């Protein structure tokens, strides 16, 4: 199966998920993220404002701010180019590229090396750390510049073991579903 075919398959599966399941799964995923050691020790956290097909991270963004974290969100500057911008509150978010909430252009830039934890969206992912995004390549270009743990947020019903990967695809360190957190990679203790 090609990446394009898998994205279409997952998009259809997302449409068939019940709103109750999505809400409960999203809340559990966000709760697990906050309990993780790498969250507890992180000062600067990169997160995203989930679109309707992704994990609803609004509660998590509020929690990040109330937990005293420095919060950075992606801002798409041009095709395939993304940067992290710090927000002080939810009022710093505006409708951006693809209709996704993003930081205002006036929000301060956060260098990738300054991030302590990155929370990453996906179409699907798995316990090997493989991620299928939405085809823009933004994260695969940005993430190699970071030095922090990368947590992939994915509803369990969307996890796929047969993700087509390419050499440039960045592997995740953790997969977080509503069923728990999996440390990814060949040396992971599962």
């Amino acid at each position: 199966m090609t990446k394009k075919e898998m994205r279409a398959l997952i998009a259809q599966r997302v449409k068939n998920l019940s709103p109750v399941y999505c809400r409960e799964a999203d809340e559990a995923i966000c709760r697990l993220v906050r309990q993780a050691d790498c969250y507890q020790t992180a000062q600067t956290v990169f997160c995203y404002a989930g679109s309707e097909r992704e994990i609803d991270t609004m509660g998590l963004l509020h929690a990040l701010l109330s937990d005293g974290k420095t919060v950075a969100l992606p801002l798409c500057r041009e095709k395939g180019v993304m940067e992290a911008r710090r927000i002080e509150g939810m009022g710093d978010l505006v409708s951006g590229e693809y209709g996704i909430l993003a930081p205002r252009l006036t929000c301060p830039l956060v260098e990738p090396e300054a991030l302590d934890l990155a929370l990453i969206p996906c179409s699907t992912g798995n316990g090997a750390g493989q991620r299928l995004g939405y085809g823009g390549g933004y994260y695969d270009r940005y993430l190699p510049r970071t030095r922090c743990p990368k947590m992939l947020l994915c509803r369990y019903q969307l996890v796929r073991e047969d993700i087509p990967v390419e050499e440039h695809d960045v592997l995740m360190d953790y997969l977080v579903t509503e069923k728990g957190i999996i440390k990814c990679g060949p040396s992971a203790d599962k």
Side-chain angles (χ1 to χ4, degrees):
M1 186 178 303
T2 67
K3 286 184 174 186
K4 185 176 181 179
E5 291 168 338
M6 186 168 285
R7 283 186 192 101
L9 177 75
I10 296 296
Q12 186 56 51
R13 189 170 286 171
V14 168
K15 287 180 186 175
N16 294 333
L17 294 176
S18 83
V20 171
Y21 165 73
C22 291
R23 186 182 69 252
E24 290 175 353
D26 295 2
E27 288 171 359
I29 288 167
C30 293
R31 193 169 42 253
L32 285 165
V33 166
R34 289 185 73 200
Q35 294 169 359
D37 289 342
C38 56
Y39 176 92
Q40 297 293 322
T41 59
Q43 179 53 44
T44 303
V45 179
F46 181 67
C47 191
Y48 62 97
S51 68
E52 65 182 44
R53 62 186 173 184
E54 297 169 333
I55 304 301
D56 179 358
T57 57
M58 291 322 236
L60 183 55
L61 289 170
H62 283 287
L64 284 160
L65 291 164
S66 69
D67 289 345
K69 307 289 187 187
T70 298
V71 182
L73 277 85
L75 177 64
C76 298
R77 296 294 307 224
E78 56 189 72
K79 186 173 174 63
V81 178
M82 179 174 79
E83 58 192 25
R85 296 286 181 133
R86 180 172 50 88
I87 64 166
E88 296 293 329
M90 301 306 274
D92 285 337
L93 297 177
V94 296
S95 184
E97 192 83 15
Y98 310 110
I100 298 170
L101 286 177
R104 297 178 187 280
L105 191 53
T106 56
C107 290
L109 180 70
V110 177
E111 294 297 334
E113 302 83 15
L115 300 173
D116 298 317
L117 176 63
L119 306 175
I120 310 299
C122 66
S123 174
T124 184
N126 62 36
Q130 299 168 333
R131 169 188 178 268
L132 181 66
Y134 298 102
Y138 291 92
Y139 284 89
D140 286 319
R141 286 182 188 91
Y142 182 80
L143 290 175
R145 298 169 42 213
T146 67
R147 295 190 206 119
C148 63
K150 295 169 282 302
M151 296 185 101
L152 187 63
L153 311 186
C154 185
R155 296 179 189 117
Y156 185 79
Q157 290 187 20
L158 300 178
V159 170
R160 294 285 301 229
E161 296 307 317
D162 59 340
I163 296 173
V165 292
E166 298 173 54
E167 190 176 306
H168 66 269
D169 292 332
V170 176
L171 294 177
M172 302 292 110
D173 299 302
Y174 299 92
L175 170 67
V176 185
T177 72
E178 68 273 20
K179 293 188 180 265
I181 299 176
I182 297 170
K183 184 164 177 35
C184 303
S187 63
D189 297 320
K190 294 184 182 168

